[in-house]
Amino acid sequence: MPKIQTVHKAALLNDHLREEIDDWLRRYPEDQRQSAVLGALRAVQHEHGYLSTEMMDAVAEYIGMPEIAVYEVASFYSMFELKPVGRHTIAVCTNISCMLRGSDKIVEHIENKLGIKTGESTPDGKFYIKREEECLAACCGAPMMQVDHVYYEHLTPERVDEILDGLE
Amino acid sequence: MSQDLVNIEINGIPLQARKGAMLIEVADEAGIKIPRFCYHKKLSVAANCRMCLVEVEKAPKPLPACATPVMDGMKAFTQSPKALAAQKGTMEFLLINHPLDCPICDQGGECELQDVAMGYGEDVSRYSEAKRVVKDKDIGPLIATEMTRCIHCTRCVRFGEEIAGIRELGATGRGEFMQIGTYIEKSVSSEMSGNVIDLCPVGALTAKPSRYTARPWELVQHATVAPHDSIGSNLFLHTREGRVMRAVPRDNESVNETWISDRDRFSYTGLYADDRLTTPMVKDNGKWVATDWETALARTVEGLKGTAASEIGALLSPHATLEELYLAQKLLRGLGVSAIDHRLRQVDFAHGNADPAFPYLGLPIADLENVNAALLVASNVRKEQPIAAHRLRKAGLKGASLMAINTRDYGFAFPVMAQCITDPHGMVGVLAGVAGAALEAAGAKAPASLAKIIDAAEIDEAARAMAEQLKAGEQAVVLLGSQAFAHPRFSLLRALAAVVAEHTGATLGYLPEAANSAGAWLAGAVPHRGPAGERLGSPGLDAQAMLDKPRQAYVLLGVEPDLDCADGVRAREAIEGANFVVSLNAFASEATRNLADVLLPIATFAETSGTFVNAEGRWQSFQGVTRPLGEARPAWKVLRVLGNMAGLNGFEHVSSENVRDELKGLFGADLAFDTGVPLEGAAFETATVPTGLQRAGGVAIYALDSLVRRARPLQETADGRQAGAYISEAQARALDLLNTDRVLVRQNGRTATLDLVIDDGVAMGCVWIPAGMPETAALGAAFGPVELQKL
């Protein structure tokens, strides 16, 4: 096979992702296409579970910004995953209010229950415990956690079991 | 007082400053030192290092001088207790994560952080926690990284975005985990990348080729001029014990500002190549014998005098100095030789009467950034003259319409408004179309000599748009690039470009390929012009003709015919058949050894004094920075002695300045900086449309001359390894080549095996093959019909 110099990296984006990114692009002035990068990356992560370099390059080409600029955005925000992770993302808030209300115990309980540490995914690829995602601004319901973008408040170990066991 | 000026006071010194200027600029101009890391006069303001905090009256907190615009009546204090406390505080934070490895750091001794820490740092750190450690990146053969030392000033990031035009470095992660790098494993590809080494205020980015070879305080700095492109960037060479250790830019706002290309920065690594010639040599019975200068020079004079002058051909390098070229032609013409030429890569020498006095850029280099429109014809300006590309990029960012007619979309780092990518033959048609459109808009008739060609050309929308942009631009320029000179119909391209320029009100200009292309013309290193542009009654053979009709003897000055000539194979064959060949060169490659009978070792640009004339006609003289290696001698001295030994008059020069001034004295008061192309005389004929695949391509940037070809770090970059046959995907499909990685290229009965590279930027009908590289030299000329065969 010959060496390919011109690669159309954006080809990796399917129609649905293109539609989604186009929708974001429409919201910003035409000469400010890079504004859509957050929305675009969110859409990609939603579909692929994480942001591979190839997909970030695809977004860069599609939006028309330098690849490194996309890496910068993706690596800045903790909500973006740059490596493959479990299907369900568990993020327990451990900031001050939650900590005072026993979030450490909740984390410990989840770690024991799933047999992994924070920052790891279960071998079956079902769960991923996020290392840090705070403060999630739900102090009145402390301790709390976010599972796949859904807030669960006033946690107890039993309540955690119930939530996690209920997931597919 | 002008409305645009305000009165301010810094440290009690009353100053006038331009409205909107930043405090740090005003202080710098007044010689008031404010410490800084992220601020750089040529880059945007980031204000992220906080080192330049100063006290400003009425401001509640210290303000960063780099991001504080001056206001009328402003009083700033750079050394007040409040300012100093802020600066010291910043310094302490910056040093928290910085390693204490100054003793093994290349930057040590010329480090901004070290200097500022001496002034503002404490002796003992209060910080006892763990320091941040960052894994090093491999970003290519030119730049060494030690990212633990990085203080996140982002100068290198801003350089990529704002100057180089390709953003390759970035700041990924955040907070404590922020890192400067490429994120993925990747070599930086910018042809100006080395400038980040100078920009980096610490030892995070240093020069890889000179790493661990010298400490800054051991180096002696010498001013000189870069010997490669026709810009003539100003350089400092740093030597230690007479050996050149590295090259850095020397500020010159009118030429290279504060930047240099990687070629100018790292080509010094070729100075001490293994095949450097250090002693005169003569071939005795087919065997090389080292000898003394006297014997070698006597043999040279004997060889030249023993050949009829009309049977001698001289190929002179456009990278030789003005003095060398002048003395060479003086010597040769004194002996009656008329076949003298430096246009080694040119093949079309028709309409020599229309040649300008020298290939002038048409305007000062600095003015390139003020053009409103520019049309590049057959030019990869980004790689061939990086500084010119940088100036054009500035114009482009200000809204200039930059356009190009090329055989390949080179991926310019500036916004390209319109571009025609077509095969070499098609380029003529496209340019004729633009000329037709220009004439149409001006309501003028095509000059008789070009009428046939312009009338036959199709004037499409693109051609009209290009002509329109050139016409609309208050300052517009049509630039013939280095590849135009090598084009088989150069004279026609030039005539058409002149028509376009004339009828759009644009300036015609040239971007010649070599450091002294302009100087070579002025020195008389062409067969039809003497020194100072004197028109000669009976022109000699040009560079092509003296190889087509092989001579009995050849003089080679700084030329490696197999790689420097348009058709290296034919050049070799012609020179091989000669009875006597003398090569004045700093190097003696295997090929040169096979061709020559006498090898005269001459000094490189670093070892001789001399002058280069750049494309804007600027004479830049320089001194040798170190003694020539071994027995090598500056070529002007060698040529002077040859003149004496040949019994010629007028070779009494005692310095290169003597030689230069003698030449200068030959110029009348009005050296025409004129690029007009007189079109009287013979008409231009339409060429037959070639069938089949056409070869296109320019000289690979790191194959330009014998010095850069020996610069190993540059050869290891992607640009240095670009040998290959480049075609578009559609072309590959049409030729059924999509499943092979090597192809046999056939050109003019010769073959070479090359990597096949798919690049959709290459025009259909074209195979783009870089010239001047050992891998492609066997094929011959840079243009012509080729065939590809699957391997």
Side-chain angles (χ1 to χ4, degrees):
Chain A
M1 290 300 285
K3 193 175 139 198
I4 311 278
Q5 192 115 326
T6 26
V7 192
H8 301 291
K9 295 179 171 176
L12 287 174
L13 298 171
N14 61 27
D15 287 345
H16 172 251
L17 281 173
R18 280 161 196 262
E19 238 168 69
E20 195 111 328
I21 300 172
D22 286 343
D23 182 50
W24 283 105
L25 285 169
R26 265 193 296 279
R27 303 181 197 198
Y28 301 105
E30 250 170 63
D31 59 342
Q32 299 292 323
R33 288 175 64 88
Q34 74 270 26
S35 301
V37 69
L38 277 176
L41 290 177
R42 213 173 62 157
V44 169
Q45 175 158 306
H46 193 80
E47 190 156 316
H48 290 256
Y50 78 107
L51 300 175
S52 61
T53 306
E54 292 72 31
M55 291 310 292
M56 287 193 278
D57 291 349
V59 167
E61 185 178 286
Y62 194 74
I63 295 182
M65 54 196 286
E67 288 166 5
I68 183 71
V70 175
Y71 307 152
E72 284 178 333
V73 170
S75 62
F76 183 89
Y77 291 99
S78 58
M79 299 79 155
F80 289 129
E81 298 300 339
L82 301 175
K83 295 212 172 73
V85 293
R87 272 198 321 282
H88 300 292
T89 297
I90 306 161
V92 183
C93 181
T94 49
N95 213 311
I96 184 76
S97 307
C98 291
M99 190 189 78
L100 291 172
R101 299 277 293 153
S103 62
D104 288 357
K105 286 240 165 55
I106 301 296
V107 172
E108 200 185 316
H109 176 75
I110 298 174
E111 284 183 344
N112 288 339
K113 178 180 168 69
L114 301 180
I116 52 171
K117 293 282 173 201
T118 56
E120 294 173 357
S121 298
T122 51
D124 63 357
K126 188 170 178 188
F127 293 107
Y128 165 56
I129 317 177
K130 198 134 192 162
R131 192 182 295 278
E132 189 176 277
E133 191 83 283
E134 56 191 22
C135 162
L136 287 168
C139 302
C140 50
M144 66 79 67
M145 68 176 178
Q146 189 191 40
V147 181
D148 300 338
H149 306 296
V150 180
Y151 277 26
Y152 298 94
E153 302 177 358
H154 306 292
L155 296 178
T156 59
E158 296 71 40
R159 176 88 181 106
V160 168
D161 286 346
E162 196 182 309
I163 295 161
L164 297 188
D165 293 344
L167 290 170
E168 280 295 305
Chain B
M1 193 185 90
S2 154
Q3 264 196 325
D4 298 331
L5 292 178
V6 291
N7 285 305
I8 66 160
E9 231 178 63
I10 302 179
N11 298 347
I13 305 164
L15 296 167
Q16 279 208 326
R18 183 177 50 82
K19 214 182 221 170
M22 295 300 167
L23 207 43
I24 203 166
E25 292 174 64
V26 183
D28 279 353
E29 257 167 59
I32 299 167
K33 289 204 164 58
I34 300 176
R36 87 285 306 269
F37 296 113
C38 71
Y39 172 77
H40 188 277
K41 60 183 176 184
K42 293 280 178 188
L43 300 175
S44 65
V45 170
N48 57 14
C49 79
R50 316 311 282 183
M51 193 63 220
C52 66
L53 289 173
V54 294
E55 183 180 352
V56 176
E57 193 186 62
K58 292 185 195 125
K61 292 191 289 184
L63 300 176
C66 70
T68 305
V70 290
M71 310 264 238
D72 201 32
M74 181 184 263
K75 285 184 182 160
F77 305 91
T78 68
Q79 297 283 317
S80 67
K82 200 170 168 185
L84 278 179
Q87 291 161 3
K88 285 191 167 173
T90 300
M91 192 72 235
E92 187 170 9
F93 274 118
L94 284 174
L95 290 178
I96 275 182
N97 278 315
H98 193 77
L100 267 176
D101 61 350
C102 305
I104 57 137
C105 176
D106 258 20
Q107 193 89 350
E110 57 176 2
C111 175
E112 292 174 53
L113 187 70
Q114 211 176 26
D115 293 348
V116 177
M118 287 297 288
Y120 299 88
E122 296 293 335
D123 299 343
V124 178
S125 174
R126 287 188 286 172
Y127 182 76
S128 57
E129 290 79 1
K131 287 196 179 218
R132 185 177 61 104
V133 174
V134 183
K135 212 173 146 233
D136 281 333
K137 285 110 187 152
D138 182 2
I139 58 170
L142 304 180
I143 304 168
T145 67
E146 190 71 53
M147 298 319 286
T148 302
R149 296 178 185 147
C150 175
I151 57 166
H152 299 168
C153 72
T154 69
R155 277 185 190 173
C156 55
V157 178
R158 281 174 285 149
F159 172 82
E161 180 162 344
E162 295 162 19
I163 309 295
I166 38 171
R167 189 123 116 62
E168 298 178 286
L169 293 166
T172 54
R174 70 164 153 177
E176 166 119 293
F177 303 104
M178 180 174 138
Q179 292 188 13
I180 301 292
T182 49
Y183 182 73
I184 48 168
E185 195 66 27
K186 165 180 194 291
S187 292
V188 295
S189 66
S190 165
E191 61 289 339
M192 308 248 286
S193 68
N195 289 298
V196 300
I197 297 165
D198 304 326
L199 288 173
C200 184
V202 297
L205 304 173
T206 52
K208 212 177 231 181
S210 58
R211 195 173 205 206
Y212 299 142
T213 56
R215 309 313 311 250
W217 57 85
E218 302 170 321
L219 298 171
V220 187
Q221 175 162 293
H222 314 264
T224 187
V225 177
H228 303 293
D229 61 30
S230 52
I231 299 300
S233 290
N234 292 194
L235 294 184
F236 282 121
L237 286 182
H238 290 170
T239 60
R240 192 187 62 180
E241 290 164 13
R243 201 179 158 93
V244 178
M245 305 305 288
R246 62 179 187 179
V248 296
R250 177 160 58 98
D251 282 18
N252 186 338
E253 271 309 299
S254 5
V255 181
N256 53 311
E257 297 171 67
T258 181
W259 318 115
I260 51 172
S261 63
D262 288 355
R263 186 167 53 192
D264 292 344
R265 183 184 300 268
F266 294 111
S267 68
Y268 79 90
T269 53
L271 287 175
Y272 307 107
D274 294 339
D275 62 352
R276 181 74 200 268
L277 190 58
T278 53
T279 165
M281 298 186 88
V282 292
K283 204 184 252 170
D284 275 334
N285 301 323
K287 271 195 143 171
W288 281 107
V289 184
T291 181
D292 52 30
W293 269 103
E294 212 161 298
T295 313
L297 291 174
R299 181 80 75 91
T300 305
V301 173
E302 194 184 305
L304 293 177
K305 287 207 147 177
T307 311
S310 60
E311 277 299 325
I312 300 176
L315 295 170
L316 314 178
S317 168
H319 294 274
T321 66
L322 190 67
E323 292 79 354
E324 291 162 3
L325 292 163
Y326 172 70
L327 281 186
Q329 66 82 32
K330 188 173 181 181
L331 167 74
L332 290 158
R333 291 203 163 110
L335 292 169
V337 178
S338 62
I340 300 169
D341 211 345
H342 77 280
R343 298 166 294 175
L344 309 175
R345 294 193 201 276
Q346 194 167 323
V347 290
D348 174 17
F349 296 90
H351 302 269
N353 282 337
D355 286 339
F358 71 98
Y360 173 44
L361 184 61
L363 68 176
I365 290 170
D367 280 358
L368 281 176
E369 66 185 71
N370 298 323
V371 299
N372 310 101
L375 173 61
L376 291 158
V377 180
S379 168
N380 182 5
V381 65
R382 177 177 158 196
K383 300 284 180 184
E384 288 161 356
Q385 294 91 5
I387 297 294
H390 164 60
R391 297 276 191 179
L392 284 172
R393 181 167 184 274
K394 283 203 213 172
L397 295 180
K398 282 190 275 184
S401 314
L402 303 178
M403 302 165 284
I405 300 173
N406 267 329
T407 51
R408 177 177 171 190
D409 180 349
Y410 289 109
F412 291 135
F414 46 68
V416 178
M417 202 212 79
Q419 183 161 240
C420 279
I421 303 299
T422 174
D423 63 87
H425 177 80
M427 280 169 74
V428 177
V430 170
L431 191 59
V434 180
L439 288 164
E440 187 182 84
K445 265 183 59 184
S449 55
L450 288 169
K452 218 192 284 177
I453 286 165
I454 294 180
D455 293 344
E458 184 199 347
I459 305 176
D460 57 10
E461 277 317 301
R464 281 205 180 87
M466 283 188 178
E468 216 164 87
Q469 290 296 327
L470 289 172
K471 193 163 190 165
E474 196 180 317
Q475 188 165 16
V477 61
V478 180
L479 291 170
L480 286 165
S482 302
Q483 293 168 24
F485 289 83
H487 194 279
R489 305 219 67 193
F490 169 57
S491 57
L492 177 54
L493 281 179
R494 180 176 64 184
L496 290 170
V499 172
V500 174
E502 186 187 337
H503 293 280
T504 54
T507 310
L508 175 65
Y510 299 88
L511 285 164
E513 69 173 18
N516 212 16
S517 292
W521 279 89
L522 300 174
V526 279
H528 58 310
R529 301 272 172 86
E534 181 203 349
R535 283 168 193 267
L536 300 179
S538 48
L541 298 178
D542 56 54
Q544 184 79 4
M546 69 177 98
L547 297 171
D548 284 347
K549 300 178 203 136
R551 307 284 91 192
Q552 285 175 17
Y554 286 96
V555 176
L556 306 173
L557 172 63
V559 175
E560 298 185 304
D562 52 320
L563 297 172
D564 282 329
C565 288
D567 186 340
V569 183
R570 188 161 51 183
R572 197 190 62 219
E573 286 165 0
I575 298 170
E576 242 166 15
N579 296 328
F580 178 74
V581 178
V582 56
S583 171
L584 291 82
N585 206 317
F587 305 98
S589 66
E590 199 54 43
T592 302
R593 280 168 189 271
N594 289 338
L595 292 178
D597 297 292
V598 178
L599 292 171
L600 302 178
I602 59 171
T604 61
F605 84 107
E607 299 153 359
T608 180
S609 56
T611 304
F612 289 139
V613 183
N614 71 6
E616 60 175 350
R618 181 185 292 267
W619 293 42
Q620 299 194 104
S621 296
F622 51 88
Q623 295 297 317
V625 309
T626 171
R627 272 182 43 78
L629 205 62
E631 287 298 305
R633 292 291 173 267
W636 71 265
K637 287 189 182 174
V638 175
L639 290 160
R640 189 205 58 196
V641 176
L642 280 173
N644 292 332
M645 291 176 72
L648 298 172
N649 291 327
F651 285 85
E652 285 85 38
H653 316 86
V654 295
S655 69
S656 67
E657 286 81 3
N658 280 170
V659 183
R660 181 195 62 198
D661 295 344
E662 179 178 314
L663 170 61
K664 223 171 204 173
L666 298 177
F667 287 96
D670 57 333
L671 166 63
F673 277 58
D674 181 16
T675 54
V677 181
L679 294 171
E680 303 83 43
F684 291 90
E685 288 304 318
T686 5
T688 43
V689 182
T691 52
L693 277 179
Q694 294 297 305
R695 175 171 171 187
V699 183
I701 56 163
Y702 297 144
L704 184 62
D705 55 76
S706 47
L707 179 61
V708 72
R709 284 195 290 262
R710 288 171 170 79
R712 206 163 289 149
L714 291 173
Q715 299 307 328
E716 286 164 7
T717 64
D719 280 327
R721 288 185 275 116
Q722 62 171 278
Y726 295 69
I727 54 175
S728 67
E729 192 186 337
Q731 185 77 67
R733 187 166 299 124
L735 296 170
D736 188 25
L737 288 173
L738 274 173
N739 50 5
T740 181
D741 58 346
R742 297 278 285 175
V743 283
L744 184 74
V745 185
R746 223 183 280 276
Q747 180 182 358
N748 210 1
R750 308 186 191 120
T751 57
T753 308
L754 293 172
D755 284 342
L756 181 69
V757 186
I758 303 293
D759 186 323
D760 281 349
V762 179
M764 199 62 185
C766 258
V767 188
W768 195 91
I769 300 171
M773 308 187 81
E775 296 91 331
T776 64
L779 290 172
F783 296 93
V786 282
E787 282 168 40
L788 298 184
Q789 190 187 317
K790 192 184 289 192
L791 274 184

